[in-house]
Amino acid sequence: MRIGIIGMGNVGGALGRRWAAAGHQVVFGLRNPGDANSQDEAKALKAAVAAIPQAVAGAEVVVLAVPWPVALPTVTSLAGELKGKVLLDCTNPLTADLSGLVLGTTTSAGEEVAKAAPGARVVKIFNTTGSPNMAAAPYDGTPLTMLYAGDDAAAKQTAAGLARALGFDPVDAGPLLVARVLEPFGLAWITLAVRQKLGTDFHFQIVRKPAK
Ligand SMILES: NC(=O)c1ccc[n+]([C@@H]2O[C@H](COP(=O)([O-])OP(=O)(O)OC[C@H]3O[C@@H](n4cnc5c(N)ncnc54)[C@H](OP(=O)(O)O)[C@@H]3O)[C@@H](O)[C@H]2O)c1
């Protein structure tokens, strides 16, 4: 699958590295694609770098992995290009000090991204755990729960397949408005990891009662 990842930081880098290793064609969309370090890093991953519009234009699936303050301007500038594409939204609308969310309850980053990119097939995913788990899944062979939400059934299947390929157990959480619940869930993970000093080696898991 041709995957364009906007952002090559903690999340974009972790996801891109693993999808490239699994044989997907990964292009990182960067604001400075000429940066030699980024080019070397991408080459080592058997991936490529390009300007953001080019990375999006060639992709079947686009991953939004940038800080929330730049997410909507980025998506708005690409709106035409994103039409019809699966758009995986990994963002959490965090305050700068990571203590809260700048929006929620009556809307979500996922819904705002969808409004900014009419026609894009938005799936909220990869926002409820830390990037170290995107690199580490599965834990000792146990797939890690990955909740996702969206309004396009086929796009959700694509998202679930890409999560499964990385060692996650994808769980459909419902329509895109459920992002209102999933984004605070991401904040809960950050709060435990950072404020409560649990570190990053833990994950929220759905554990099913064994059948009798
Ligand atoms: N970190 C986590 O564990 C985690 C987990 C779940 C969800 N998330 C969410 O995922 C998103 C990305 O987080 P992250 O930790 O990966 O962030 P990060 O490490 O800071 O990386 C952000 C990426 O976005 C790029 N970027 C920044 N400003 C940009 C702009 N104006 N235009 C285009 N690209 C820009 C950066 O490029 P440059 O290198 O050029 O600055 C960098 O590649 C956030 O919304 C976060 O809330 C994070």
Side-chain angles (χ1 to χ4, degrees):
M1 190 164 277
R2 297 190 311 277
I3 305 173
I5 304 183
I6 308 174
M8 197 182 180
N10 296 313
V11 170
L15 295 174
R17 179 173 303 114
R18 296 203 61 202
W19 282 325
H24 292 291
Q25 288 174 47
V26 173
V27 179
F28 293 100
L30 303 180
R31 52 185 166 168
N32 183 8
D35 175 62
N37 287 339
S38 304
Q39 288 186 351
D40 289 348
E41 200 180 327
K43 205 168 167 188
L45 305 178
K46 295 193 168 56
V49 293
I52 295 170
Q54 278 72 52
V56 168
E60 296 159 273
V61 173
V62 177
V63 179
L64 183 64
V66 297
W68 176 246
V70 302
L72 290 183
T74 302
V75 167
T76 302
S77 72
L78 294 165
E81 287 291 355
L82 289 166
K83 221 172 199 144
K85 299 204 183 216
V86 175
L87 177 58
L88 307 186
D89 171 31
C90 310
T91 65
N92 281 316
L94 301 169
T95 56
D97 66 358
L98 309 184
S99 67
L101 300 172
V102 297
L103 56 82
T105 314
T106 55
T107 187
S108 61
E111 290 162 279
E112 296 304 313
V113 163
K115 276 186 221 159
R121 301 158 65 204
V122 178
V123 181
K124 188 87 207 179
I125 191 167
F126 299 121
N127 74 300
T128 53
T129 196
S131 61
N133 285 328
M134 299 175 203
Y139 281 178
D140 275 342
T142 301
L144 303 184
T145 300
M146 179 51 66
L147 301 170
Y148 61 96
D151 296 331
D152 182 305
K156 286 166 83 168
Q157 270 186 18
T158 299
L162 287 170
R164 201 173 288 113
L166 302 190
F168 287 101
D169 170 24
V171 175
D172 186 347
L176 190 59
L177 67 77
V178 174
R180 298 173 194 185
V181 178
L182 299 186
E183 290 163 11
F185 200 27
L187 177 62
W189 191 94
I190 292 167
T191 303
L192 290 174
V194 179
R195 206 163 276 245
Q196 296 306 112
K197 304 194 188 328
L198 252 65
T200 59
D201 293 340
F202 75 97
H203 184 78
F204 295 131
Q205 186 79 338
I206 290 182
V207 179
R208 295 177 176 88
K209 187 176 172 187
K212 291 215 170 138

